[in-house]
Amino acid sequence: MHVTKKILGITCAVAALVSVSACGSSSGGKTADGKKEVSFQTWNLKNDTYTPYFNDLIAAFEKENPDVRIKWIDQPADGYTDKINVDAAAGTLPDIVDISPNDAYSLAKAGVLMNLSTEAPDAAKQFTKSSWDAVTFKGENIEKGAYAFPWYLNSGVQYYNKKLLTQCGIDALPQNMDEFFAAASTLGKNCAGTTMVASTPTIESLGQYGAKLMNGDQTAFTFNDAKGVELVQHYIDMYNEKSLSSDALNKWSGESDAFKQGSVASLAGSAYSVADFEENAQELYKNLGITERLLGEGGKMNVYLETLAVSKNAKNKEETLKFAEFVTNEENQTKFCKSSHTFPSAKGAVEDPAFSPTGDSIQDQAVKLASKAVLDDDWFASPAPFSENAKNSLREQIALAIQGKQSAQEALDKVVKTANEELNS
């Protein structure tokens, strides 16, 4: 399953797509036997776990719509970015594409996706407000509207190594960011060689802390505000107090392993990481503590969202929209998310008992805590216009600030400048 897959980068070639977006159809339109064809592309989901689900899903739709044939295409993870770009540039993007909001924004800005707010105005009623907001784009050079159907969500919790915290003089699990940074200071003083965390702030953590990520009309990034600077300063302080791993300053993906090995005391992770800990880190599992994801004043929980975007060139528009809504409706999202260990975006689906377990197991506790923001419909997705290049800039500039080479304000000012230049290009 690709719920933790990295957000794709849309290459500069797509920026020129407006001129070619009208060429060709994204599908052949008709099958050899005269049925209306709808092409549906997923990302790394054709396997023993999910193939039966999609086969049954497609069969059910085709039974209800005997004049329609669904052509299911599944692309491997490797090269998916290039494949999307090539298809978009050639005007052969499949009718429905499994895609992140970031990619949907880039393709929408290039003029190759349907604006669902105009093409399917009633679709919003099917989804939670937070989900629909996450796929609604506006700003310079883009017509305001929703450009993808929300699909599955991935929410998380804060994990702790309780034994390690106790050894370092911390008696209770931090429940908010103030307690977290106080605990980090204590750990740095008492446990040399052990760190509280091994990552630096991301755009998502800035939002969770309470920084305003963008202005209201999505024409500028604004996270270089007082709350953003305050969060970065906390990380500078942690580094100086030896409670932030120096590995975090590099493009490093070993934070989870360090947590499992006992050299890092806390980890922001998926609700379904518990099985991994149980299988691969028994000592940690026996001492695992869980809280809701930590927020700052004014912050909301960040939730990852995957979507289904619809090509503007789909020949069988009515049937394409109908199938996209079918895949993402309450019943089908509930089935899919139960098997994929994710959460649904369809209105009412998350109220299924599977997403709010009442058991006492560590796994049940994690799922229940992670689902709270989804149940409350009070969360945010990473801003769709924030590119991979901007993410790299954020990591690099914060790393320089942590090392004392510039201030927290200077770091965020530079990133905001980079992000806004890309946004308005």
Side-chain angles (χ1 to χ4, degrees):
M1 185 61 187
H2 59 285
V3 295
T4 57
K5 65 194 179 188
K6 66 181 182 180
I7 304 300
L8 303 177
I10 299 296
T11 67
C12 59
V14 180
L17 289 180
V18 177
S19 62
V20 299
S21 62
C23 29
S25 166
S26 55
S27 74
K30 289 286 184 86
T31 62
D33 56 0
K35 293 188 176 183
K36 296 177 181 179
E37 185 178 79
V38 173
S39 52
F40 168 54
Q41 179 170 290
T42 54
W43 181 359
N44 201 29
L45 288 176
K46 188 170 280 190
N47 52 47
D48 292 343
T49 302
Y50 302 111
T51 293
Y53 167 82
F54 284 106
N55 284 342
D56 290 345
L57 180 81
I58 291 168
F61 183 82
E62 291 180 343
K63 184 177 181 180
E64 292 179 7
N65 302 272
D67 61 333
V68 180
R69 177 68 53 82
I70 304 300
K71 179 183 179 181
W72 179 27
I73 308 160
D74 188 73
Q75 296 290 345
D78 292 343
Y80 195 79
T81 302
D82 294 336
K83 178 63 176 171
I84 290 290
N85 290 341
V86 168
D87 286 346
T92 57
L93 196 69
D95 296 323
I96 302 170
V97 185
D98 174 5
I99 202 169
S100 74
N102 301 68
D103 301 325
Y105 177 85
S106 296
L107 292 178
K109 197 169 182 178
V112 299
L113 298 183
M114 282 190 195
N115 183 339
L116 302 178
S117 296
T118 57
E119 299 290 351
D122 293 332
K125 299 174 184 177
Q126 182 166 299
F127 303 96
T128 61
K129 182 180 184 301
S130 296
S131 300
W132 196 251
D133 285 349
V135 296
T136 299
F137 310 145
K138 53 186 173 180
E140 298 290 342
N141 305 316
I142 188 168
E143 179 184 38
K144 181 180 178 181
Y147 284 89
F149 288 97
W151 196 12
Y152 60 83
L153 311 173
N154 195 17
S155 182
V157 294
Q158 196 75 26
Y159 292 108
Y160 295 97
N161 185 326
K162 292 190 293 185
K163 181 178 180 180
L164 190 57
L165 292 182
T166 301
Q167 290 173 345
C168 296
I170 302 160
D171 297 326
L173 300 182
Q175 301 291 322
N176 56 52
M177 294 302 289
D178 288 341
E179 292 180 7
F180 181 83
F181 291 124
S185 181
T186 299
L187 183 145
K189 294 172 184 174
N190 295 342
C191 290
T194 299
T195 60
M196 190 68 170
V197 68
S199 62
T200 55
T202 61
I203 188 72
E204 294 83 5
S205 55
L206 286 163
Q208 289 185 154
Y209 192 70
K212 185 177 181 181
L213 302 183
M214 296 191 79
N215 61 8
D217 57 8
Q218 294 184 6
T219 57
F221 287 97
T222 57
F223 52 83
N224 55 339
D225 59 7
K227 293 298 290 184
V229 171
E230 184 179 301
L231 179 62
V232 176
Q233 186 59 52
H234 276 303
Y235 277 76
I236 294 172
D237 295 341
M238 282 199 295
Y239 186 72
N240 292 333
E241 294 170 348
K242 309 299 183 186
S243 59
L244 171 65
S245 171
S246 59
D247 287 323
L249 304 185
N250 304 309
K251 195 170 184 178
W252 184 63
S253 58
E255 184 185 13
S256 179
D257 289 338
F259 180 64
K260 287 188 283 188
Q261 292 161 7
S263 60
V264 173
S266 181
L267 177 75
S270 164
Y272 291 97
S273 297
V274 173
D276 178 36
F277 299 148
E278 184 176 15
E279 181 179 353
N280 299 308
Q282 271 290 317
E283 185 63 24
L284 168 66
Y285 179 74
K286 289 186 294 185
N287 295 283
L288 195 63
I290 310 173
T291 68
E292 286 185 57
R293 188 68 61 78
L294 301 181
L295 306 178
E297 183 180 355
K300 290 185 177 183
M301 172 81 86
N302 168 250
V303 171
Y304 175 81
L305 169 69
E306 189 71 4
T307 75
L308 295 180
V310 179
S311 171
K312 196 173 184 178
N313 295 329
K315 277 195 172 179
N316 299 308
K317 182 171 73 172
E318 181 180 344
E319 292 75 17
T320 296
L321 290 170
K322 190 174 183 179
F323 183 66
E325 291 190 53
F326 181 76
V327 175
T328 56
N329 69 23
E330 179 181 349
E331 178 182 356
N332 289 322
Q333 278 209 41
T334 300
K335 290 179 182 176
F336 180 73
C337 292
K338 282 181 179 180
S339 66
S340 63
H341 295 159
T342 55
F343 297 97
S345 63
K347 194 176 293 183
V350 76
E351 295 170 11
D352 187 283
F355 305 114
S356 298
T358 57
D360 295 327
S361 71
I362 296 176
Q363 181 63 85
D364 284 350
Q365 292 175 44
V367 172
K368 186 174 182 179
L369 288 172
S371 68
K372 186 177 183 302
V374 182
L375 278 164
D376 292 344
D377 194 14
D378 188 26
W379 53 269
F380 76 96
S382 176
F386 199 67
S387 69
E388 198 68 31
N389 180 58
K391 291 176 188 178
N392 289 334
S393 177
L394 181 64
R395 176 183 55 79
E396 292 165 0
Q397 295 301 330
I398 287 179
L400 291 173
I402 287 171
Q403 295 172 83
K405 297 178 181 179
Q406 61 185 352
S407 69
Q409 185 72 67
E410 289 170 333
L412 292 185
D413 286 348
K414 289 177 181 178
V415 182
V416 164
K417 182 175 184 293
T418 296
N420 283 337
E421 286 174 350
E422 288 189 343
L423 179 65
N424 297 307
S425 62

